[in-house]
Amino acid sequence: MGWQCSAVGRVCHHGVMGEPEGHAEENRNSSPDRLPPGQRLQRGWPVTHYGPVPKYRPERWDFRVFGATGDGDKHRWTHEEFSALPHETVVADLHCVTRFSMLDAEWGGVRARTVLELVPPAPGVSHVMVWAEYGYSANLRLADFAAEGSVFATHRAGELLTAEHGFPLRLVVPQLYGWKGPKWVRGVEYMTADRRGFWEERGYHNIGEVQREQRYSYQEEPGDGPEL
C-alpha cells in the first residue's frame, strides 16, 4: 500500500495527459538550506511503501469520486477517460516522514482542483479520503487536497511513473508528508466529517504538515483529528 513524500511546489504549464511538454532540470536549487525541520537531502528516489506492488490491469482500472458529491451521484472514469483530462506540470519538493527530502521534483498529471471542478463537493464537505489499491486510504483536509500544487501524478521528470513509484496514478500533496499522497490511487471520497486513514490509525499524525513536523499521533493537539 502506497505512501511517500510531500510536495511544496508550483504549477508550471498545461498539456495533454501522456504527452508531457518537456521537463525542467530537477534539483536546480537543491540547497540544504531549503530543507524543512528534521529533513535530509536525498539524491535519487528511494522506493518506500507497505505491501506488494499491485498489478495494473487496464481493462479493470477506474477512478471514482463518491461520497458527499454536490449532485449526490457517484462519478467514474476509465483509464482512457482519465488520461484525456487536462494535464499540468508541478515542480515540487518531496518530503518523506522517514526524514529524506527530494527537492525540485517535477510531476505531471491531473490537478486535484480539476477533479473538484468536474465533481463539486456538497456544502459542508470538509475532508476527503483518498483510496488506493488494497484498500489503502489517506484522509486530508479539503483545503490541502485543493491546494494549487496538489496533483494526481502520472509522470515524473517527463517520464511515466514506474509501478514501484505508483503507476498508473499517485497523489502528490503540497505541504504534507508523503503518506498523505498514496500511490496506486483509485478514488476520492468526499466527507462532511474527518475520519482517519490507514497510517493515521496506526500512529501517524492526522494532519501531517511538514513545516510543523507533524509526524506522529502523540504530537496531536485538541482539534487535530478524531480520537484514536
Side-chain angles (χ1 to χ4, degrees), residues 12-13 35 42 52 87 109 122 136 147 150 154 157 185 191 200 215 224:
C12 291
H13 53 255
L35 290 171
Q42 175 70 43
H87 180 277
Y136 178 85
S150 296
T154 58
V185 171
M191 306 191 297
E200 295 80 10
R215 300 177 190 270
D224 280 348

Side-chain angles (χ1 to χ4, degrees), residues 150-165:
S150 296
V151 59
F152 289 102
T154 58
H155 292 72
R156 175 182 171 250
E159 301 292 336
L160 275 174
L161 296 173
T162 63
E164 292 77 11
H165 285 302

Side-chain angles (χ1 to χ4, degrees), residues 84-217:
L85 297 179
H87 180 277
E88 300 195 42
T89 300
V90 176
V91 176
D93 300 342
L94 193 67
H95 303 294
C96 191
V97 71
T98 59
R99 299 188 181 274
F100 74 79
S101 291
M102 296 164 48
L103 302 184
D104 295 316
E106 182 188 286
W107 309 97
V110 177
R111 289 176 67 192
R113 285 185 179 181
T114 299
V115 174
L116 290 168
E117 291 168 0
L118 291 170
V119 186
V125 168
S126 58
H127 293 77
V128 302
M129 188 76 76
V130 180
W131 291 95
E133 298 284 0
Y134 304 127
Y136 178 85
S137 60
N139 60 313
L140 296 88
R141 296 174 297 190
L142 181 61
D144 287 323
F145 181 71
E148 183 179 8
S150 296
V151 59
F152 289 102
T154 58
H155 292 72
R156 175 182 171 250
E159 301 292 336
L160 275 174
L161 296 173
T162 63
E164 292 77 11
H165 285 302
F167 177 83
L169 195 67
R170 65 171 295 152
L171 179 63
V172 176
V173 185
Q175 310 295 343
L176 304 184
Y177 287 113
W179 81 84
K180 291 292 191 178
K183 299 190 283 188
W184 313 305
V185 171
R186 295 295 302 273
V188 178
E189 176 186 0
Y190 294 166
M191 306 191 297
T192 57
D194 196 9
R195 191 170 79 244
R196 291 180 184 265
F198 180 86
W199 286 112
E200 295 80 10
E201 289 183 333
R202 292 164 173 81
Y204 284 84
H205 200 285
N206 191 59
I207 298 174
E209 287 188 13
V210 174
Q211 293 297 334
R212 297 176 64 188
E213 282 203 90
Q214 293 178 329
R215 300 177 190 270
Y216 305 112
S217 59

